[in-house]
Amino acid sequence: MLELKIKGSIFGGFTEARVNKTMKALCGEFEFLAGGDLTYSKLLELGLIITKDSIVEILADGIKIMTAYIEKQNIEYSDNNYSISLSGREVTCDIVDCRISTSFRKTATTDFIQLTNSVFNFEKLKYSIIDKSINSATKNFLSLDIQAPSSGEAVIDFLNKYAMKKYCALMTDENGNFLIANSGKGLSELSSYKLRNVIGIENNIWKGSVNYDFSQLYNTYTYQSIPNYQDIIDSDQTPKQQSNIQYTSNPDESIRVGRNFVEVESESYTLIKLKDRVSWKMQTQIANSRQYNVVLDGHSFIDDNNNKVVIKPNQLIDIVDETCNINETMLVNEIIYSMNSSGNSISIELVQEDAYNLISENIVLSNKFYGSQI
């Protein structure tokens, strides 16, 4: 069951609800609909007084899954029926909506966490930052990298641009904190709740599908760096040598020759950094070329330790699905909680467990689960 908690009071009785959280966007969204006995006047009697800054906690079977603002209200009625809807996004929505001032400047002697703190302070955004990344967010940027926004650039677009350079994903946790993360291995809760669709074993998958998309895969990946002529002495290179710094991956033999990806960086990069860029691009493209989707009954589950748990983005789940030829640990990339007349269910999109981790290209290419196994 999905419920709203406002100022300590819990409100149920909604006829429909939908809550969406994903690793592909900073903040999730929700919508609750009511009708029947739960009239608007009744909600007011219960204490549900909504203002422009109303903060709501969303509960799934009593477990908090989101902290959000109620941004929209809609009331419709006729002679014989009416409906009320409440919708909104996680409290980090201001990071998505607001534009960063072009007067903001940060020198390169900082790491991503310090940069984020500086942006929040400059724009008067009040969010706690939680770092669950694998060290990369605490490493300084390049010596000549001055972080300056473009005119009209959204705060989230600016931060995403620099998070990508540290190979991190930006998320919001259930308490409304700004979360810096990589894939769930060792860094997020590893649920012992397993997904199964195997003959002779208890099944808990309502329905499932696996989708393969090879349109964004390439035989080789190349990154080029613009010259840094100020650093010629330190790097012992001539201008011509430095202007030709680039790195090309080993070929992916499963992809036809001639499909080559090339990108030129907007600043100077060392060869080592270009190798990382190639590995990251290859990994994210390959990891997202296969998406496994399941629908489960209910919103919470009992794990192997007899604890009631909910499934969240960035969790690792063990899966055995003979129909879709899946037998591995996968990463929860997106989850949708639904409640309607048909009951309670969750839809989950899962991808390769290392989808948001920086790993070497030889490991990427040797992974038998990366998307070519049908």
Side-chain angles (χ1 to χ4, degrees), residues 11-235:
F11 300 91
F14 292 93
T15 52
E16 293 184 39
R18 185 178 186 273
V19 183
N20 174 237
K21 287 180 68 71
T22 176
M23 291 192 69
K24 296 178 284 188
L26 176 67
C27 59
E29 54 190 15
F30 72 92
E31 183 176 20
F32 280 69
L33 294 91
D37 294 333
L38 198 61
T39 63
Y40 190 71
S41 59
K42 180 63 175 177
L43 290 176
L44 293 179
E45 289 175 15
L46 293 172
L48 180 52
I49 301 175
I50 301 169
T51 67
K52 290 181 180 178
D53 292 322
S54 288
I55 293 180
V56 58
E57 295 180 4
I58 299 176
L59 310 178
D61 293 345
I63 301 174
K64 181 163 61 174
I65 58 173
M66 181 180 287
T67 303
Y69 286 121
I70 295 177
E71 297 181 297
K72 297 180 181 180
Q73 304 172 59
N74 182 61
I75 301 173
E76 297 182 11
Y77 71 93
S78 63
D79 289 342
N80 55 8
N81 63 65
Y82 65 88
S83 66
I84 304 165
S85 68
L86 308 172
S87 63
R89 293 172 294 167
E90 290 185 283
V91 293
T92 50
C93 60
D94 291 346
I95 302 174
V96 176
D97 294 343
C98 295
R99 298 296 186 264
I100 188 169
S101 172
T102 54
S103 62
F104 176 83
R105 291 291 186 278
K106 189 68 177 175
T107 64
T109 56
T110 185
D111 58 38
F112 183 72
I113 296 174
Q114 294 168 335
L115 174 64
T116 303
N117 264 317
S118 297
V119 171
F120 287 174
N121 291 334
F122 194 86
E123 299 299 334
K124 297 180 174 59
L125 296 170
K126 307 296 183 182
Y127 297 105
S128 297
I129 300 172
I130 296 179
D131 178 27
K132 288 191 175 182
S133 64
I134 306 175
N135 299 324
S136 56
T138 59
K139 292 182 180 179
N140 285 350
F141 289 96
L142 296 175
S143 59
L144 297 177
D145 185 3
I146 304 298
Q147 293 95 37
S150 304
S151 177
E153 187 172 25
V155 173
I156 185 58
D157 292 336
F158 176 77
L159 292 177
N160 270 329
K161 181 168 59 180
Y162 289 95
M164 185 182 68
K165 296 180 180 182
K166 298 301 178 185
Y167 315 109
C168 297
L170 305 182
M171 305 169 56
T172 303
D173 68 11
E174 65 272 17
N175 297 312
N177 298 312
F178 181 85
L179 183 63
I180 305 170
N182 296 110
S183 294
K185 182 182 294 183
L187 299 175
S188 66
E189 302 167 40
L190 177 58
S191 174
S192 59
Y193 181 77
K194 298 176 176 59
L195 302 186
R196 304 182 182 93
N197 178 15
V198 184
I199 297 176
I201 299 179
E202 179 183 356
N203 297 330
N204 50 17
I205 298 175
W206 266 13
K207 59 181 179 180
S209 66
V210 60
N211 304 303
Y212 295 86
D213 182 359
F214 304 126
S215 64
Q216 299 302 309
L217 298 185
Y218 298 87
N219 179 266
T220 61
Y221 299 78
T222 299
Y223 271 80
Q224 298 176 350
S225 174
I226 64 171
N228 172 16
Y229 295 126
Q230 299 181 41
D231 198 31
I232 293 173
I233 297 175
D234 293 336
S235 59

Side-chain angles (χ1 to χ4, degrees), residues 343-363:
N344 302 323
S345 65
I346 56 173
S347 302
I348 308 174
E349 177 189 281
L350 300 108
V351 293
Q352 178 184 315
E353 63 174 309
D354 283 317
Y356 298 96
N357 289 337
L358 177 62
I359 57 181
S360 63
E361 64 182 83
N362 61 315
I363 295 178

Side-chain angles (χ1 to χ4, degrees), residues 60-63 189-196 202-204 296-311 315 317-318 346:
D61 293 345
I63 301 174
E189 302 167 40
L190 177 58
S191 174
S192 59
Y193 181 77
K194 298 176 176 59
L195 302 186
R196 304 182 182 93
E202 179 183 356
N203 297 330
N204 50 17
L296 310 179
D297 181 17
H299 292 146
S300 64
F301 311 95
I302 302 300
D303 66 11
D304 291 346
N305 297 317
N306 206 35
N307 297 317
K308 185 168 72 170
V309 298
V310 293
I311 297 176
Q315 282 186 326
I317 304 293
D318 291 332
I346 56 173

